[in-house]
Amino acid sequence: MAILIVCLYIGLIEEKLQKNSKPVLGLCAIVLLSTYIISVGDNLLYTQESVSETESKVIELTENENNKGIYLDLYASSSLYYAYKGRYAINRAVYMLLWYMDWYEKDEIDDLFTYNPKVVVYDEEEDAWVYTHYAPAFVTQLEE
């Protein structure tokens, strides 16, 4: 579709330019097609990211558990690999961001006590808009 639009556009330019139109049309084609070619090239050269050390450790720690639920902060470790391996977040607000913790910090603490997960994927030093340590009550309960 993009190539068709470019060809139609080049045809319109060719009608306007009679003299020395071929070099100008070639330059226009290069400019117009360059973004398309770059995006196609990026898709063709895409490489799958390997499983991170954190993801591997979480799967290893919950391998022999009956309850494979984990407490997961997707902001610290956003991966579909957990779901692929059957590990699901037990907490309600999986993105532990500054503005969510204002509303849901008590719910997150309740989820810790209710489900008592073996593995918690959370990084207190993870920043959201340069703010860190925005869930102090949660961290206190987690340490206990």
Side-chain angles (χ1 to χ4, degrees), residues 1 9-10 19 23 47 71 79-80 90 104 109 132 137:
M1 186 59 132
Y9 188 69
I10 290 172
K19 190 176 181 182
T47 56
Y71 191 96
S79 172
L80 292 175
I90 54 97
Y104 302 117
I109 293 169
T132 58

Side-chain angles (χ1 to χ4, degrees), residues 90-126:
I90 54 97
N91 47 318
R92 290 173 259 187
V94 291
Y95 283 99
M96 295 186 68
L97 297 168
L98 173 66
W99 46 95
Y100 290 166
M101 289 303 98
D102 284 344
W103 302 328
Y104 302 117
E105 188 171 21
K106 183 181 178 333
D107 294 336
E108 297 299 292
I109 293 169
D110 291 344
D111 289 344
L112 270 179
F113 285 113
T114 302
Y115 297 104
N116 196 18
K118 182 177 181 181
V119 176
V120 175
V121 180
Y122 175 72
D123 182 9
E124 187 178 6
E125 300 299 322
E126 187 73 39

